[in-house]
Amino acid sequence: MIRRLAPYLLVVLSLAGGLAALSIRPATAEPKRSADYVVVVGIPGLRWEDVTEQGTPNLWRLAGQGSIGSLSVRSALKPTCPVDGWLTLGAGNFAGWRRGTPVTGACPPLSVDVQRPDGIGAFLPDLDKQAVQYNQQSLTWGAVPGALPEAVRCTVAVGPGAAVAAARPYGRVDNYEPQLPADAKKLLERCTLSMVDLGTVSGDDPAVRQTAAARADAALARVLAARPDKSLLLVAGLADTDQASRLHVAIADGPGWQGGWLTSPSTGRDGYVQLVDLAPTALTALNKPRPGRLFVGQPATSVPGRPEQLPDAVTFPADADREAGAQETVATWFFGVLAVVQLGLAIAVVPLLRKARRHVGDEEHVHRPITGIVEILLVASALAIPAALVADLVPWWRGSQPGWLFAAVLAFLLAAGTAAVRFAPGFRRTLGPLAMVVTVAAVVVGLDLCTGARLQLNGVAGYSVLEGNRYAGVGTVGLGVFVTGVLLGSGALAQRFARPWRPLVMVAAGGIGVFLVGSPFLGADPIGAVALTAGVCIATALSTGGWLTLGRLAAATVAGVAVTSVFAWIEMHRPPAERGSLGRFVEALGGGTGGTTLQRTSKSILDALVGSPLTLLALIGAGLLWLALLRTWGGLRRAYGLYPSVRAGAIGIGVAVVLGGVLGGTGLDLAGAAAAVAVPMAALTALRVLDHATDFTRPPEPVPEVDAQGVGAA
């Protein structure tokens, strides 16, 4: 009994104990009061390419003395138009203003009815219906417009956009001016929190954008002249202006904000902050309590590491904006083409499997050249996503034709990788190609995690900060590829060991994988780690062969639940600002807002199912498995019988991607990324098993008959 439970106990002790020691780190001290006043200046549409020393001297000087970063302007609606950006600022949560018609081109001008009944403040009569009720009843984030002004005694708003952000939930703005007065010092000193709308920078014409940016910069000069002493000034690009999502300017200047990168626990990456971080940043600087359940962002901070020369420093956020913008289009084409290629290969493999099945046991069967070509194409298609990750080592997005440049880099990497696998000594072995490809996949993602996940950040096969879902660690595509590499790779490795040692091999390899995915310093994905743990437990239970008996299932379930509980305990004992998705979900359940979280997750799953090309890859892979490979003539059943550890790894992948997709709200995206690597290798392995069937089914040599004189019969 102890021997049977040893692998599962090892899963619990090694993974849970090791990750507990790694994940618990000293609590980060809360930022202290740093200012008596906070002035938020909003310039929707302003990007770093608009900020130049000659064209916008005040912005340039402010960026030189303060901290800078790239601002993700995600809101509850797409695109984030200026009114949505201002509303999100005031809510401290992903919010949106009700739209009469969908935005299909440029965002409409900000047009809000601002009434001034007393000449001091203002009233927004449409706020309740168009924003408060809409966000509470129709959107899934539970945003409360006006949560930021409700947290301070009084606010000042200049301009209609600022009025949207400064309005309390019932529509009242404490102090309002439609335009910045010539001498604004007394106005900005009236309240501890002021918001100023300096207009919008929009369009694609560089000359038009420079004119708008220069106009905003001239108005900023008056803000700087009237700025109160010991104040924190936040300049933010607040919103997009059309369908194209971009990164925008974020500058913080004040005591303690000199010459660094802006960052936030909500992004976990230096140089990046979210729009929803601005509200908690303002309250923290003023030493005001934050309405924790209403705000989803975290206070921004300044960290060192920025280049000393401002032109060099500005290059980084401007380059990140170009890469993120190019990634969105190129990624859609990449996964679409990959789905078409894999569909074509699936169609081509079926007749080859049938022909190979008819020749099983035929020693005269000759390996057809077409089969060799298909095998090479299967290897190349399985290496496509790892190659796309590596392609980000080359700055293809800086070219005039970024899509074509990416395609050229990808083609070179695929050719090199496929040739390396094809001419490796173990290629002719049945499991040789599978073992090499999944090892490459796991190593590429693993090394990227160990070096800061820079290949996945805004990468074609990574995640885009424009989506606002992840800024650091392992993304959905990377996790799917890594799960496949770890579980199939450990299965192929375990197959080389004696049966009693195979569970320990699976646990050892799986433990390293869970460590990389779950560590807050590396993958930073507790839900992904839980999903991978479940896959490792099932794979460990099946690695010696046989069926998933009730006893094996119970032991694997206990191990998985134990590790999941440890992850949840770790998350809940970390500071609220540093909790991951699992910790936030547990907190939501405890706080009575779990229904909203589940509703939001369900919507994310539906959106991913409908709008992601990875769904096609998942469906193509499932179709090939069910309609061909797992049929009696498909060869994969035979492969699983001969290599039970590989079968165990494949089943573990299925468990991990289903669980990860449901808990993470990614639909079939995780399964699609895993299938893009696993299914081509499964098809190649099935072809190999059928082609090498005589190696396993050759009948014994006949024993010569011996006559009475001891001479063999003729």
Side-chain angles (χ1 to χ4, degrees), residues 15-27 514-515 517-522 524-526 529 566-567 569-571 573-575 578:
L15 302 186
L19 282 167
L22 179 72
S23 298
I24 299 178
R25 48 182 168 180
V514 175
F515 174 87
V517 172
S519 167
F521 304 104
L522 302 172
D525 187 359
V566 170
F567 269 111
W569 182 85
I570 290 171
E571 286 283 290
H573 281 75
R574 294 171 62 189
E578 298 181 12

Side-chain angles (χ1 to χ4, degrees), residues 58-359:
N58 296 296
L59 280 167
W60 187 265
R61 186 164 52 253
L62 196 67
Q65 65 190 37
S67 294
I68 65 174
S70 296
L71 180 69
S72 172
V73 296
R74 177 188 177 189
S75 68
L77 301 177
K78 290 185 179 180
T80 298
C81 289
V83 67
D84 306 313
W86 284 108
L87 194 67
T88 296
L89 170 64
N93 198 340
F94 302 113
W97 189 277
R98 187 191 299 271
R99 296 172 180 173
T101 57
V103 176
T104 57
C107 288
L110 194 152
S111 178
V112 178
D113 184 14
V114 181
Q115 300 177 1
R116 302 192 67 194
D118 56 9
I120 298 174
F123 178 69
L124 276 62
D126 297 331
L127 185 72
D128 181 63
K129 182 179 180 181
Q130 298 296 104
V132 177
Q133 293 185 34
Y134 178 57
N135 281 272
Q136 291 292 307
Q137 298 173 8
S138 302
L139 301 180
T140 60
W141 286 98
V144 178
L148 173 59
E150 281 286 277
V152 296
R153 185 179 61 85
C154 76
T155 57
V156 171
V158 178
V164 172
R168 298 180 185 271
Y170 49 87
R172 171 69 180 178
V173 181
D174 300 327
N175 298 271
Y176 177 73
E177 291 291 340
Q179 294 180 343
L180 192 68
D183 183 6
K185 189 171 182 62
K186 290 183 179 180
L187 177 66
L188 297 182
E189 289 179 344
R190 190 176 299 174
C191 297
T192 58
L193 177 62
S194 299
M195 305 184 201
V196 182
D197 180 1
L198 294 187
T200 300
V201 179
S202 61
D204 296 325
D205 187 341
V208 173
R209 295 189 63 86
Q210 277 299 318
T211 300
R215 187 184 306 116
D217 187 76
L220 178 63
R222 286 187 285 158
V223 175
L224 294 174
R227 175 183 177 182
D229 295 334
K230 200 179 180 184
S231 62
L232 169 62
L233 179 63
L234 299 174
V235 178
L238 281 185
D240 295 311
T241 56
D242 53 32
Q243 283 280 37
S245 297
R246 302 292 294 268
L247 292 173
H248 296 275
V249 168
I251 304 174
D253 179 61
W257 298 87
Q258 291 84 8
W261 289 119
L262 289 175
T263 188
S264 161
S266 72
T267 64
R269 188 179 290 275
D270 295 351
Y272 290 88
V273 289
Q274 297 191 78
L275 177 57
V276 292
D277 295 331
L278 299 185
T281 301
L283 293 183
T284 300
L286 295 171
N287 199 28
K288 300 290 185 181
R290 305 194 307 270
R293 293 186 180 180
L294 299 182
F295 285 5
V296 298
Q298 300 295 337
T301 57
S302 177
V303 294
R306 199 182 91 176
E308 294 184 3
Q309 299 298 319
L310 184 58
D312 297 333
V314 170
T315 297
F316 284 91
D319 192 58
D321 177 41
R322 283 194 296 270
E323 182 181 8
Q327 181 262 4
E328 197 169 17
T329 302
V330 175
T332 301
W333 278 100
F334 169 73
F335 286 109
V337 171
L338 182 59
V340 171
V341 170
Q342 293 210 353
L343 177 61
L345 287 174
I347 295 173
V349 160
V350 172
L352 295 179
L353 291 171
R354 287 189 169 277
K355 289 182 180 180
R357 178 70 179 179
R358 288 199 298 268
H359 286 286

Side-chain angles (χ1 to χ4, degrees), residues 492-553:
L493 179 62
Q495 197 63 44
R496 302 174 68 89
F497 287 79
R499 190 180 298 266
W501 292 98
R502 291 175 185 173
L504 298 180
V505 174
M506 300 292 290
V507 166
I512 295 173
V514 175
F515 174 87
L516 291 175
V517 172
S519 167
F521 304 104
L522 302 172
D525 187 359
I527 287 181
V530 168
L532 180 54
T533 298
V536 171
C537 292
I538 294 296
T540 300
L542 296 175
S543 58
T544 56
W547 297 97
L548 187 62
T549 62
L550 185 60
R552 287 178 168 182
L553 180 60

